[in-house]
């Protein structure tokens, strides 16, 4: 007898039923990608919507990188092209020119950059990396490429020097030897200066690594070699011997020439500067300790910190500049890093905010034998780049046009808006420019090289960054540039924290209590909303007028009166190996986690921060309209906010966390809803929850049982990273055993609930708030000690254990659902990542914070992870759209809440707003991430908004101006009101529902082995698509509404939680993420932009004539040395010096060389390049053949001539005469 599955038959009947319920509609989707539900609506959908996007529209490529280069190590400047290069510890090179000229390139090896050298005015750059490899970069293209590489096998590179207009590079090594490399061919010369030949034979010790190389400005045939132990050798390249030697007791850090070539200055490890004259090398001509205390005659000066670098630059009309870093006295330990400028008798110390990595003096001439005329100093700090103006006596700094201060405070969140209203950029700039710092140099930024044009594809783009100090920065990101427009400080809303007041204010974060956690911005209405790590939400309105007013604040008591399920006793549970060693003590399992202040009083109904109660002056720009704070409940701090949304059209803001949902009317300043997530289900709860006593064994669950994200997919890792709002990680060396994770019920945190506990409908007559300032209360509001009396608030017994029947009820969802689905939000995430201890130490903040901060400790509860306001159908029987709030949870549930708004503008300010759970539920696998809606024609619907007007305008016409709402219907409301399509994406799958029928039309299981970190429905090419970024590094694009895969690229493996927290998509095929703590990486997934990217990038090299050298005059030419007649080619070439040992260094052709182009594959441009190179080679061979033919003809003529002469000689002789 043939068997059949009765359950599948029922599912088929339910799916085909036209009136199937929401639960069956959402659960009957197939597991296959893009599966379609049968039914009439799906057929209508195919007929009505013609999708225009295809896979040819999409391609992934990086566009530009903004910010300060992370962990810089090297600096170089081209004085003719006027471009600057910065190398980093990660092998990256950033090349900067005029604003808009900003290029990023990366060594494939990832080795740290030790030194950079420009081929001045040649469009090339030499980099030396820590893996002892030299690279030659071609800068004559918009994307620089490596032409040649030279890998040293037996020696380590310590210093490089390339003389101006020379093709021979001097390379010093750790062994003390000096090698010479031909820049054109990148082949090592046979000419080597061995350390044992450079020093005297009587010297018994090794001089140490080479720390300096430079040719004499007076004679190019002489090379100055500085060794670490204090030895300096003046080497004659022609005679191959040392012309003179200099010895000093202290180690040498750097050397610089006087432009006449008769003197040079050294900096030493004891904080001294020595000036040497070539005519008397036995002792220094002058010795000074600039920052040492003056001593009596005959006594040695006091030692100071090492002077790491010195530059000695001359001027025509004034005393020379001596500029050095370090050298401060040891008795001033608290002094900050400094740069000292000595000009004549004046000594100026410039204190820096960060340690100095490198500095360079920018001079007018590239010729080392001319008067240098310095005009600026470029100082590379660990976290900043500054340029000091040397032409003014007070040495002001130049205003930096690059966005080098993104990391001024650590970035905690980002938002990206493309194709936003164009007037916004001008408005924000006009407000922000008034608050710019003063005191900059009045001269233009000296790094002005390269060329940049606007490009064809331009649209207004704005990037918003939130920071750990509570500041928010608005950036103009249009046309591949980044410029700060406006800065907002959210911390000004709160009182300043006094030392020792942390316990009175009940902070839940010891450091950075104002850190920005989430951002929501409506560009059209200019409403701005921000949530912070201390469980607060601030609503800002934009105004062009300054006001002084009190800040209105609401305090919300959000409480979930349920307890976590208690695990059965060990004797009733399945046995585990050595369970006692893995479980916490019974006290930690069942003990209370309430926090008690040092005074012994339990904290309750107290906010984490104190809002200013006095009138506050608010400058033009964004001004705080309302502050909403969650308060402590029974000794427990409020949980961090995991979702945030605001509607300017409705005048409502909603936010949620792992406890519940809060809805606030910010027009009337009243709380509409404050309810636990469980209570939102009412009597139609799918999981049939029961009341439970609060917060039982929370710590046990958080520390031992929760399966988090990537830990499911990388079980072999032994490091876990717990993250909060910071770009920070805290290592935990004791991972959770998999057995303990399995012992938790798959639906822990879910229990049955009696109908008597069903919550009532909330209106704004019952605000669960306490207002600090005077707010007009409506008649009929019921306040009891400032709190709302919720019908769900009831006392429950603590420590109640579930019966076996209850446990079986709870476990009925187990086989089909993962053990826990965490809230995927910017607020909380705990995953296991493949990081080393060193990486974690570099990327982490060592923060001491409450264990209750992270919402991940509440994983057993159902967190609100996504919110969305839209005109939609709240119920099945609705015939027209109405204001709705979509609520998504960490368990994959979607709830629709109906918003009943007053009909007229006048009533909106006085009449109450009804917030009613509609009873509609939809479900997905995994935590819900995002929502969006499309109308019946397939056009993307935008949430309605209110047209912006200045709230502080004194114009009489503005006072009587009524609210103007834009509903964003692509068609008429009558046509759009028939039905619409809702797109919902979770961390596992995406679904498309038809409303109001609530039929699931399309299902696409995006990932089974990983989870989605970021998802967004974006507009592109007058259509819409779903963009997802997965934890395994894949970027996926799906068409809408059919959810057909358009693109799936393994772009970026998740190696840092910073990427997961800051990755965001936006319209027009744009995306970005924080690639390092200091840099933003932008990318595009648009094929059109990838094709036009070359037109948008700046040119690094522009043809500029090299300035002519000054006329040396007759006497200087006669007695100024023989540098002009020195021929390096003759001395270092293969004919004279021979070939270097093959084992010493290995030549590696780069991808930009001819060999590299031959090896490259694919592409029309590659084929054309190869054809052009082949043509050039063919022409070269033809030229060689022509020369050989001419030589053969000459030889034939000579042979013919000799043969004719020989014939004439023996013409008349007889045979016997031979």
């Amino acid at each position: 007898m043939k068997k059949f599955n009765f359950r599948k038959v029922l599912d088929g009947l339910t799916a085909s039923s036209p009136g199937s319920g929401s639960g069956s509609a959402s659960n009957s989707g197939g597991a296959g990608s893009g599966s379609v539900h049968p039914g009439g609506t799906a057929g209508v959908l195919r007929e009505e919507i013609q999708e225009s996007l295809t896979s040819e529209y999409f391609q992934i490529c990086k566009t530009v990188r903004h910010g300060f280069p992370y962990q810089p190590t090297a600096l170089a400047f081209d004085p003719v092209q006027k471009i600057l290069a910065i190398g980093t510890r990660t092998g990256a090179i950033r090349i900067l020119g005029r604003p808009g000229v900003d290029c990023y390139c990366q060594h494939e090896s990832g080795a740290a950059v030790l030194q950079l050298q420009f081929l001045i005015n040649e469009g090339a750059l030499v980099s030396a990396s820590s893996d002892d490899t030299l690279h030659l970069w071609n800068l004559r293209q918009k994307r620089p490429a490596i032409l040649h590489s030279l890998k040293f096998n037996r020696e380590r590179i310590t210093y490089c020097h390339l003389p101006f207009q020379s093709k021979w590079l001097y390379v010093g090594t750790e062994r003390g030897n000096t090698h010479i490399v031909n820049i054109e061919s990148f082949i090592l010369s046979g000419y080597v200066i061995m350390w044992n030949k450079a020093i005297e034979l009587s010297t018994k010790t090794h001089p140490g690594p080479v720390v300096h190389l430079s040719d004499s400005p007076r004679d190019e045939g002489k090379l100055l070699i500085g060794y670490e132990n204090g030895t300096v050798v003046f080497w004659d390249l022609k005679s191959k011997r040392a012309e003179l030697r200099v010895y000093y007791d202290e180690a040498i850090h750097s050397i610089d020439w006087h432009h006449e070539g008769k003197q040079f200055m050294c900096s030493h490890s004891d904080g001294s500067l020595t000036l040497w004259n070539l005519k008397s090398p036995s002792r220094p001509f002058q010795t000074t300790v600039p920052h040492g205390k003056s001593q009596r005659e005959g006594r040695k000066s006091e030692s100071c910190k090492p002077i790491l670098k010195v530059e000695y630059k001359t001027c025509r009309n004034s005393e020379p500049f001596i500029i050095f870093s370090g050298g401060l006295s040891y008795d001033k330990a608290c002094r900050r890093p400094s740069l000292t400028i000595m000009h004549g008798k004046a000594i100026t110390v410039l204190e820096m905010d960060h340690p100095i990595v490198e500095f360079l003096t920018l001079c007018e001439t590239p010729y080392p034998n001319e008067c240098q005329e310095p005009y600026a100093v470029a100082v590379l700090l660990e976290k900043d780049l500054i340029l000091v103006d040397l032409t003014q006596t007070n040495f002001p700094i130049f205003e930096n046009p690059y966005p080098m201060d993104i990391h001024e405070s650590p970035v905690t969140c980002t938002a990206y808006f493309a194709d936003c209203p164009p007037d916004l950029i001008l408005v924000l700039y006009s407000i922000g420019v008034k608050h710019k710092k003063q005191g900059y140099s009045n001269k233009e930024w000296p790094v002005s090289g390269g060329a940049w044009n606007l490009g064809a594809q331009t649209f207004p783009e704005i990037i918003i960054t939130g920071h750990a100090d509570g500041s928010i920065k608005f950036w103009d990101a249009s046309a591949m540039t980044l410029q700060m427009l406006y800065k907002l400080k959210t911390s000004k809303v709160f009182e300043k924290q006094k030392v020792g007041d942390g316990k009175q204010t009940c902070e839940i974060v010891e450091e950075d209590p104002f850190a920005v956690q989430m951002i929501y911005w409506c560009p059209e209405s200019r409403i701005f909303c921000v949530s912070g790590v201390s469980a607060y939400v601030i609503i800002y309105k934009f105004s062009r007028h300054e006001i002084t007013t009190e800040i209105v604040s609401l305090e919300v008591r959000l409480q979930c009166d349920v307890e976590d399920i208690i695990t059965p006793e060990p004797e009733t549970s399945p046995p585990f190996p050595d369970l006692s060693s893995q479980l916490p003590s019974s006290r930690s399992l069942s003990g209370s986690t309430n926090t008690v202040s040092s005074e012994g009083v339990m904290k309750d109904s107290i906010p984490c921060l104190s809002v200013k109660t006095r009138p506050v002056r608010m400058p033009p720009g964004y001004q705080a309209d309302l502050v909403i704070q969650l308060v402590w409940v029974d000794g427990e701090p409020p949980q961090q906010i995991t979702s945030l949304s605001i509607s300017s059209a409705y005048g409502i803001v909603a936010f949620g966390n792992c406890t519940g949902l809060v809805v606030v009317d910010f027009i009337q300043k009243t709380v509409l809803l404050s309810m636990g997530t469980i209570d939102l289900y009412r009597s139609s709860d799918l999981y049939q929850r029961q009341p439970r006593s609060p917060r039982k064994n929370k710590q046990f669950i958080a520390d031992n049982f929760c399966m988090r994200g990537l830990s499911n997919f990388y079980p072999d890792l032994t490091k876990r990273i717990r993250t909060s709002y910071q770009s920070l990680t805290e290592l935990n060396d004791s991972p959770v055993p998999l057995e303990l994770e399995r012992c938790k019920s798959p639906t822990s945190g879910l229990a049955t609930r009696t109908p008597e506990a069903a919550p009532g409908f909330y209106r704004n007559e019952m605000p669960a708030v306490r207002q600090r300032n005077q707010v007009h209360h409506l008649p009929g509001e019921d306040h009891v000690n400032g709190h709302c009396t919720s019908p769900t608030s009831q006392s429950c017994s603590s420590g109640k254990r579930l019966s076996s029947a209850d446990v079986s009820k709870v476990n009925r969802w187990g086989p089909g659902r993962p053990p826990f689905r965490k809230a995927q939000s910017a607020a909380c995430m705990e995953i296991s990542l493949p990081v080393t201890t060193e990486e974690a130490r570099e990327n982490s903040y060592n923060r001491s914070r409450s264990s209750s901060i992270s919402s991940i400790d509440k994983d057993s509860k159902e967190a609100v992870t996504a919110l969305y306001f839209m005109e939609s159908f709240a119920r099945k029987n609705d015939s027209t759209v109405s204001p709705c709030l979509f609520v998504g949870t960490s368990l994959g549930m979607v709830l629709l809440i109906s918003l009943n708004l007053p009909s007229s503008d006048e009533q909106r300010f006085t009449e109450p707003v009804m917030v009613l759970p509609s009873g509609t539920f939809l479900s997905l696998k995994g935590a819900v991430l995002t929502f969006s809606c499309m109308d019946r024609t397939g056009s993307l619907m935008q949430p309605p908004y209110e047209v912006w007007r200045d709230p502080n305008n004194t114009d009489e016409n503005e006072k009587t101006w009524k609210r103007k709402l834009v509903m964003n219907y692509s068609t008429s409301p009558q046509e759009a009101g028939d039905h619409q399509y809702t797109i919902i994406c979770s961390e596992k799958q995406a679904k498309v529902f038809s409303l109001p029928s609530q039929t699931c039309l399309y299902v696409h299981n995006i990932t089974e082995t990983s989870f989605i970190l970021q998802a967004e429905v974006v507009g592109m090419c007058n259509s819409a698509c779903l963009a997802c970024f997965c934890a395994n590094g894949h970027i996926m694009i799906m068409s809408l509404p059919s959810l057909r895969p358009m693109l799936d690229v393994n772009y970026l493996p998740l190696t840092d939680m910073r990427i997961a927290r800051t990755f965001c998509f936006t319209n027009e095929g744009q995306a970005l993420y924080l690639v390092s703590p200091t840099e933003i990486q932008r990318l595009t997934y648009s094929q059109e932009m990838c094709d036009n990217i070359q037109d948008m990038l700046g040119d690094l090299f522009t043809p500029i004539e090299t300035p002519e050298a000054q006329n040396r005059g007759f006497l200087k030419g006669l007695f100024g040395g023989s540098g002009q007649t020195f021929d390096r080619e003759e001395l270092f070439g293969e004919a004279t010096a021979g070939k270097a040992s093959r084992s010493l260094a290995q030549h590696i052709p780069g991808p930009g060389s001819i060999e590299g182009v031959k090896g490259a594959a694919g592409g029309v441009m590659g084929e054309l390049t190869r054809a052009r190179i082949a043509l050039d080679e063919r022409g070269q061979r033809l030229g060689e053949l022509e020369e050989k033919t001419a030589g053969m003809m000459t030889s034939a003529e000579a042979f013919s001539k000799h043969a004719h002469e020989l014939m004439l000689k023996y013409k008349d002789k007889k045979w016997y005469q031979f």
Side-chain angles (χ1 to χ4, degrees), residues 602-651:
M602 182 182 294
K603 299 174 184 177
D604 188 66
S605 303
I606 304 173
C608 301
L609 301 174
S610 300
V611 179
K612 291 180 179 178
T613 56
R614 63 185 182 277
V616 178
R617 185 186 70 86
M618 299 182 185
Y622 275 104
Q623 300 166 349
D625 182 63
L626 177 64
V627 179
I628 309 167
Q629 290 183 283
L630 298 180
V631 297
W632 287 63
V633 178
D634 298 332
E636 287 291 334
Q639 298 303 304
Q640 290 184 358
I641 295 169
T642 58
S643 56
L644 176 67
S645 184
I646 190 169
S647 172
S648 60
Y650 305 154

Side-chain angles (χ1 to χ4, degrees), residues 16 58 63 149 212 227 266 393 450 477 532 658 712 787 911 915 1010 1018 1034 1049 1089 1133 1189:
S16 60
F58 300 97
T63 54
S149 296
H212 179 81
Y227 296 94
C266 302
T393 55
C658 63
N712 300 334
H787 305 297
E911 294 296 321
V915 179
S1010 184
V1018 294
H1034 283 248
V1049 175
M1089 180 161 283
T1189 303

